[in-house]
Amino acid sequence: MDGLFCFRTDMNDLDQLVAAASADFAAAPTPAALENAKARFLGKAGRVTELLKGLGALSADQKKTRGAEINQTKQRIEAALAARRQALAEAELEVQLKAEALDVTLPGRARGLGGLHPVSRTMERIEAIFGSMGFEVADGPEIETDWMSFTALNNPENHPARSMQDTFYVDMKDEAGRWLNLRPHTSPMQVRHARAHAERHAAELARGGSMPEIRVIAPGRTYRVDSDATHSPMFHQCEGLWIGENVSFKDLKVVFTEFCRKFFESEDLQLRFRPSYFPFTEPSAEIDIAFASGPLKGQWLEVAGSGQVHPQVVRNFGLDPERHIGFAFGMGPDRLTMLRYGVNDLRLFFDGDLRFLQQFR
Ligand code: PHE
């Protein structure tokens, strides 16, 4: 080993040994290599042991001085070893720290920004516009009783008009022993809301006093056995009801025209009230709109069913049809959303494909 190095000639053999060991240690690139180098100098067959063995041939005096010198040499080599060990450990730590270094100036991992579903946006718009016209917003159950979905709305049991809605039934019966259904429209909310309102004001009504008007919209999910590009088994409706002592079809026209023009942000939007039939309104009308410009310009598009609430239904509200009168409408927020954004397949709204939905953020 020492052949690799050139030592100063004024060094004695022990100094040279220390220098050789230090050089060897310094050349060890890893802790394992360092331990090997250590064995060469301090191990059982190492250079220092060899020197100690040589003591046997010396006189007692010589042994004493030489022995002390060798011991010192051993200590110097051990010190060089310890220094190199520490240097290697520090270098290793530094490498590790560098590898694990954290760049605190890097931008954080941002979460994707969420957004409202396009139909929810429409719902919020509807609520805001009707809210500005003094309508409150009501919410009700999606699993309904037969009476609420049909009978109270003047749809007698076994009447063929019930087949206008291909209803989903729930495997559970109500108190009257009739199957519960997934509401096929939001119209049961007319009944629920009006009955609660009438009950709240029962005392005034009994005294012959006047009840505050009912002015409400009820948006929500509805269900029918129906599925194609413009029908989904789950879809949305928004019911509207305005009942007072002097509310007429004219008010329906004004309110709904105002709503559509605000919703589509078009003052020259045309509306058409086309005679139709619903068991719970008389007279009844489908409401069609036509845009004054754009790709659908001039085409009549149906957006809602409506009509003056049928006297029997007003009675089912718990009110006197001789005194309380008004109108109701039911519109399709999904349809409104398709028209507003130019979407041609309703199913896109419910497939949950982010590539589609993200466009509305
Ligand atoms: N409920 C009717 C439907 O689903 C719409 C409607 C509501 C019509 C209120 C008149 C009045 O088709």
Side-chain angles (χ1 to χ4, degrees):
M1 260 292 159
D2 13 3
L4 286 173
F5 303 96
C6 187
F7 298 117
R8 282 154 51 199
T9 46
D10 61 339
M11 280 178 150
N12 67 28
D13 63 334
L14 294 180
D15 287 338
Q16 286 188 9
L17 188 60
V18 172
S22 300
D24 236 14
F25 295 161
T30 64
L34 183 60
E35 293 316 303
N36 283 337
K38 172 197 167 186
R40 281 197 294 279
F41 292 92
L42 301 169
K44 269 184 196 151
R47 304 277 295 275
V48 174
T49 317
E50 237 167 62
L51 287 175
L52 289 168
K53 275 180 196 158
L55 286 177
L58 301 178
S59 70
D61 253 10
Q62 281 174 319
K63 229 182 239 173
K64 207 174 169 188
T65 30
R66 182 67 174 167
E69 281 170 7
I70 295 174
N71 257 336
Q72 240 177 0
T73 303
K74 189 178 172 191
Q75 280 165 15
R76 286 167 67 199
I77 293 175
E78 277 169 348
L81 176 70
R84 179 60 182 155
R85 263 193 195 138
Q86 189 169 347
L88 278 179
E90 275 167 14
E92 198 174 5
L93 183 65
E94 196 157 317
V95 168
Q96 199 177 333
L97 286 177
K98 249 190 202 145
E100 289 170 5
L102 202 64
D103 183 352
V104 293
T105 66
L106 277 177
R109 225 169 287 162
R111 274 173 175 251
L113 262 193
L116 277 185
H117 189 280
V119 175
S120 302
R121 280 174 181 268
T122 295
M123 291 295 208
E124 290 199 344
R125 254 180 106 67
I126 293 172
E127 288 173 20
I129 296 169
F130 277 103
S132 77
M133 294 191 273
F135 282 72
E136 49 178 319
V137 179
D139 202 12
E142 289 169 29
I143 296 179
E144 264 300 3
T145 62
D146 194 79
W147 194 80
M148 285 289 180
S149 283
F150 300 112
T151 315
L153 292 164
N154 206 26
N155 232 322
E157 282 160 37
N158 307 320
H159 192 281
R162 283 202 178 193
S163 65
M164 278 169 83
Q165 284 127 359
D166 301 307
T167 311
F168 285 110
Y169 285 90
V170 178
D171 194 7
M172 204 188 287
K173 290 185 174 174
D174 61 21
E175 283 164 7
R178 303 204 148 263
W179 298 111
L180 294 174
N181 59 76
L182 292 183
R183 64 179 182 186
H185 51 184
T186 43
S187 299
M189 279 309 294
Q190 289 182 34
V191 188
R192 285 187 178 275
H193 186 82
R195 282 175 75 85
H197 188 91
E199 231 166 78
R200 240 188 336 269
H201 298 284
E204 282 134 278
L205 286 168
R207 265 191 274 110
S210 60
M211 174 190 83
E213 287 188 344
I214 298 171
R215 215 183 290 179
V216 69
I217 57 165
R221 276 186 283 266
T222 45
Y223 304 84
R224 285 184 205 177
V225 185
D226 225 348
S227 187
D228 59 41
T230 51
H231 296 90
S232 153
M234 188 288 298
F235 59 107
H236 297 88
Q237 279 199 345
C238 181
E239 200 74 10
L241 180 68
W242 185 356
I243 297 287
E245 294 189 356
N246 204 5
V247 181
S248 72
F249 213 95
K250 173 196 75 195
D251 297 304
L252 165 65
K253 283 186 135 179
V254 169
V255 162
F256 210 84
T257 302
E258 174 75 359
F259 163 72
C260 288
R261 292 189 173 157
K262 279 216 170 114
F263 183 86
F264 289 107
E265 295 164 280
S266 158
E267 279 309 309
D268 40 17
L269 188 81
Q270 295 299 304
L271 275 87
R272 177 171 82 174
F273 290 74
R274 180 165 41 86
S276 184
Y277 168 77
F278 297 102
F280 35 92
T281 45
E282 179 59 37
S284 304
E286 307 270 4
I287 307 175
D288 301 335
I289 60 166
F291 294 102
S293 58
L296 295 169
K297 179 183 171 177
Q299 223 171 297
W300 287 111
L301 308 153
E302 185 187 319
V303 291
S306 67
Q308 181 171 304
V309 179
H310 192 287
Q312 182 54 43
V313 177
V314 174
R315 221 167 276 129
N316 292 337
F317 288 169
L319 297 171
D320 176 5
E322 293 299 325
R323 188 166 170 199
H324 293 107
I325 190 168
F327 63 79
F329 58 82
M331 60 181 153
D334 305 324
R335 190 83 202 283
L336 295 179
T337 312
M338 289 171 80
L339 291 173
R340 181 147 194 262
Y341 295 109
V343 175
N344 56 11
D345 192 333
L346 173 70
R347 290 168 293 199
L348 286 167
F349 290 139
F350 309 124
D351 283 347
D353 187 334
L354 286 178
R355 289 170 304 175
F356 171 72
L357 295 173
Q358 274 167 347
Q359 300 176 74
F360 299 91
R361 267 213 313 244

